[in-house]
Amino acid sequence: MKINYLYSIAFIIIFFASCKERYSPKPQGYLRIDLELPKNKLFKPENCPFYFHSSDYFILKNKSNCWIDLEYPKHNATIHITYKSINDDLSKLLEDSRNMVYKHTIKADAINEKIYLNANHQTYGTLYDIKGETASAVQFHITDSINNFIRGALYFHVNPNQDSLKPIINYLRNDIVKIMESLQWEDVSSLKE
């Protein structure tokens, strides 16, 4: 009995003596990512009826039928851009684009839509910000509502982790916004007639 009492006292003394140091949590941190300063350049993909200004730190790869990839090897990411001519099927193209975005609702925490209108360039579109652990964080479509339709999506070639990818997503999102704002159809004058 006396031994148990001594063990209890020793335990209490050790317990209070060991708590001299105050615990302070370490601040949250991220890997340092050095992002290049954007230098705008005009891009005119081969055999495509549009052109745009964007930063010059990606590799533009032309694919067939005016489908292009903007590859960012440093960030292990690609913006896939597809072009289609409108043949009385604008509503179907818009619905397909929207369905591609909303396929991410299984993993998405939120999907925010932002409308873009530029009457001078005759470009009208929607930018989708997809929050959460999804395969694609940003998607968009842009059209002149008469002849041309473009759809784009940003994909990373790594497992999605929003915390560590957020600075790069924001950086590449700025490129997408620049593309949407500066995109012009090759012959805007014929569209106005």
Side-chain angles (χ1 to χ4, degrees), residues 81-105:
I81 297 177
T82 58
Y83 169 83
K84 293 195 179 203
S85 59
I86 298 173
N87 297 314
D88 292 327
D89 60 349
L90 178 61
S91 60
K92 182 185 179 318
L93 293 170
L94 290 170
E95 189 59 32
D96 288 347
S97 177
R98 187 170 167 76
N99 287 340
M100 292 292 283
V101 170
Y102 282 90
K103 281 185 179 181
H104 295 279
T105 55

Side-chain angles (χ1 to χ4, degrees), residues 5 17 22 26 33 41 43 46 48 56 65 75 78 97 104-105 127-128 135 147 151 157 179 183 185 188:
Y5 177 72
R22 294 181 70 91
K26 296 197 180 342
I33 301 170
K41 181 179 172 184
F43 289 93
E46 292 177 20
C48 296
D56 66 348
N65 298 329
H75 305 299
T78 302
S97 177
H104 295 279
T105 55
L127 177 72
Y128 299 94
N147 299 315
R151 184 182 183 290
H157 307 290
I179 290 168
L183 189 129
W185 309 112
V188 173

